[in-house]
Amino acid sequence: MSNAPTLLTINEVACFLRVHRATISRLIGAGALPHLAVGSRKLVLKEDLLAFIDNRKRLAANSPREG
């Protein structure tokens, strides 16, 4: 089971990104951060979180700078 995907809770994702758990819930609700529903729990695949971060970095790099 070494190839099993890593699932993160909303709290773990919030700690990783250093934001409030409500922020993660909003991102999930808006469809910006993919998740898996297991019963009433929402879990995020670690690879989806890393893809989300990469996407945000690309968006920031392409946005016009204010000067």
Side-chain angles (χ1 to χ4, degrees):
M1 202 159 179
S2 62
N3 291 338
T6 301
L7 294 170
L8 303 170
T9 65
I10 288 177
N11 281 335
E12 290 170 330
V13 174
C15 287
F16 187 83
L17 294 178
R18 297 180 179 179
V19 298
H20 195 273
R21 53 180 268 112
T23 302
I24 303 306
S25 293
R26 281 193 300 273
L27 289 169
I28 288 173
L33 181 61
H35 73 287
L36 300 170
V38 179
S40 63
R41 300 195 74 183
K42 292 181 174 117
L43 302 170
V44 176
L45 286 166
K46 185 175 183 180
E47 64 187 46
D48 287 341
L49 175 58
L50 296 176
F52 171 82
I53 292 168
D54 284 341
N55 184 42
R56 293 293 170 134
K57 285 182 354 186
R58 276 194 301 278
L59 289 173
N62 292 329
S63 67
R65 307 246 189 250
E66 289 191 33

